Amino acid sequence: VSEGHVIAAPDAAVYYGDGYWNDFGTVAAEINRRVSGRVDCNSVEYFRTRCGDRRFARALFLNCGNGWVEREFFGTGLLDSAVGVDYSEALLSEARQLAGDLPIRYERMDINEAQLPRERFDLIVNYAACHHVARPDRVFRAIRATVTDDAWFFNHDYVGPHRNQYPFPHWSRVWELNNALGNGQQSPLSYPHLPTMLVSDPSEAVHSELTLDTFQRYFTMAVQRPIGGALAYPLLTFNRALKRLPDDERESIIARVLQADREFLLDHPDSSLFSFWLGRPRVDALADEMMLDRWRREEDVREEAAAANGGRYYPPTLLQTLIYPDAFPEAAPGRDQT
Ligand SMILES: C[S@@+](CC[C@H](N)C(=O)[O-])C[C@H]1O[C@@H](n2cnc3c(N)ncnc32)[C@H](O)[C@@H]1O
């Protein structure tokens, strides 16, 4: 839905639907291993050990959704208090209800406005949040201005291609591996259809491809772990066929896909769709006025151009055009030649 210039998904079910790759226990364990080195230590637990069991006075949870992430953080004893912000009133009221007596305040806001709560925060949490941010420079800059100098910034997010427009060599490997699986084991693969995304969830992966670089303008990397997913995410997400298989057969397919995913990540380190990283405030991040002004203008120009172009940022990719020629008649090869 478009409300003013805000772009957000019309229905919370798009975030909490069934059938994501990490719903499989083996996948969740493998993600833990890639983050922490241990299958039984998830990213929140790993963070607790990495920051030396420090207790945080005030944490800010970006695009908090139904609030399960802050409840998980409270469960580890890391927090004294928290503020959660999100655009969706439906999700915020669910989060408020589930928080019970926990000291969490919820505020509704469009994060792209970067009108952050006034407190100083010593922990910022981005869990599957920043890939929905259209203004990463403005948002990371505002966060840098609001954190204490000894703050931590926890991140676990999709950092893959813009709007899931996977490049040809990547998608072709996904397709080959799917074909190599047997009947009844394959995913009903479909390449993400940009026009549908623009209607159903326009903020999805809106600038995921810029997140890591933009983040490092304002924060330094204390830890960075690529989680991969280039093959496993598209093949295991929404793969209903796998759910119908006997346990041992399903586990053997998942193990095969995860093994291929590991190898692909080793051969293509830049292909990681998901990443875990921890940041610390960059001391001189807000010092260079000229650079800040340049980044601000660059983002303004980019967003204004997209707003005038139906929310599209880039020309259609080769794969989009080949797979969905009717959606891109202007770019489909040979279309106008009679
Ligand atoms: C993938 S969900 C993640 C939610 C939560 N962090 C979690 O891990 O469950 C993305 C969240 O971003 C929120 N969102 C999307 N665009 C937003 C915006 N412009 N401002 C604030 N929240 C936004 C959605 O409402 C949704 O709750």
Side-chain angles (χ1 to χ4, degrees):
V1 234
S2 202
E3 210 182 88
H5 73 284
V6 175
I7 45 175
D11 182 353
V14 294
Y15 304 125
Y16 297 108
D18 199 16
Y20 280 92
W21 68 321
N22 55 352
D23 289 348
F24 294 113
T26 320
V27 175
E30 175 66 8
I31 293 174
N32 288 350
R33 202 187 59 73
R34 293 182 190 184
V35 168
S36 69
R38 281 180 34 201
V39 293
D40 60 348
C41 177
N42 68 25
S43 55
V44 178
E45 190 57 34
Y46 173 70
F47 172 60
R48 191 177 65 73
T49 56
R50 190 65 180 69
C51 69
D53 276 325
R54 175 171 159 184
R55 228 183 136 87
F56 294 92
R58 208 165 288 110
L60 174 66
F61 288 78
L62 304 171
N63 300 13
C64 60
N66 70 11
W68 74 268
V69 184
E70 47 276 24
R71 293 192 297 278
E72 177 93 12
F73 268 79
F74 270 104
T76 61
L78 278 163
L79 308 181
D80 286 339
S81 71
V83 178
V85 298
D86 199 282
Y87 173 75
S88 158
E89 190 50 53
L91 285 169
L92 287 175
S93 64
E94 193 182 330
R96 271 187 203 105
Q97 209 170 24
L98 293 170
D101 292 337
L102 290 173
I104 313 177
R105 192 179 83 239
Y106 286 104
E107 288 187 23
R108 184 176 186 226
M109 69 178 58
D110 172 8
I111 196 69
N112 293 308
E113 297 287 346
Q115 302 292 329
L116 299 176
R118 288 190 166 268
E119 298 101 312
R120 305 253 307 153
F121 294 97
D122 53 0
L123 174 64
I124 306 288
V125 176
N126 155 31
Y127 203 107
C130 287
H131 73 276
H132 285 272
V133 169
R135 297 269 188 173
D137 184 73
R138 186 195 275 172
V139 171
F140 289 138
R141 186 183 306 190
I143 292 171
R144 175 61 191 91
T146 193
V147 294
T148 57
D149 288 342
D150 65 347
W152 285 81
F153 198 143
F154 171 106
N155 300 266
H156 188 145
D157 206 355
Y158 173 84
V159 292
H162 165 78
R163 286 187 171 135
N164 311 99
Q165 299 302 294
Y166 309 120
F168 183 80
H170 170 181
W171 192 250
S172 121
R173 184 69 193 106
V174 173
W175 189 84
E176 282 164 17
L177 181 57
N178 198 38
N179 281 354
L181 300 179
N183 260 344
Q185 302 170 340
Q186 293 170 336
S187 157
L189 265 191
S190 81
Y191 191 79
H193 183 247
L194 197 60
T196 302
M197 291 184 78
L198 286 169
V199 174
S200 65
D201 193 3
S203 71
E204 178 60 37
V206 60
H207 286 310
S208 44
E209 82 287 12
L210 303 178
T211 304
L212 286 169
D213 283 350
T214 314
F215 180 86
Q216 288 176 86
R217 293 175 181 173
Y218 304 103
F219 296 87
T220 57
M221 291 291 193
V223 170
Q224 189 175 6
R225 302 277 153 76
I227 295 175
L231 306 186
Y233 174 69
L235 288 179
L236 300 179
T237 295
F238 305 133
N239 186 337
R240 289 208 185 83
L242 284 186
K243 298 208 163 173
R244 291 192 286 267
L245 295 176
D247 290 354
D248 54 345
E249 194 181 334
R250 179 175 57 249
E251 286 305 314
S252 116
I253 299 298
I254 292 174
R256 179 175 170 189
V257 171
L258 286 176
Q259 173 66 25
D261 191 80
R262 258 192 301 275
E263 286 162 11
F264 192 82
L265 180 61
L266 278 175
D267 291 345
H268 307 86
D270 292 338
S271 72
S272 189
L273 294 188
F274 297 88
S275 199
F276 168 78
W277 72 101
L278 298 174
R280 307 304 303 271
R282 199 175 267 292
V283 177
D284 54 356
L286 304 176
D288 186 341
E289 291 278 344
M290 259 171 67
M291 190 54 97
L292 294 175
D293 197 48
R294 192 176 127 199
W295 287 332
R296 184 177 10 244
R297 275 186 284 120
E298 194 180 273
E299 195 161 86
D300 284 350
V301 168
R302 182 187 72 219
E303 293 309 308
E304 280 159 22
N309 190 30
R312 293 169 196 243
Y313 290 92
Y314 305 113
T317 62
L318 172 68
L319 266 187
Q320 266 290 352
T321 313
L322 290 176
I323 298 175
Y324 303 115
D326 293 343
F328 303 97
E330 73 286 4
R335 269 290 156 128
D336 292 333
Q337 294 167 15
T338 46

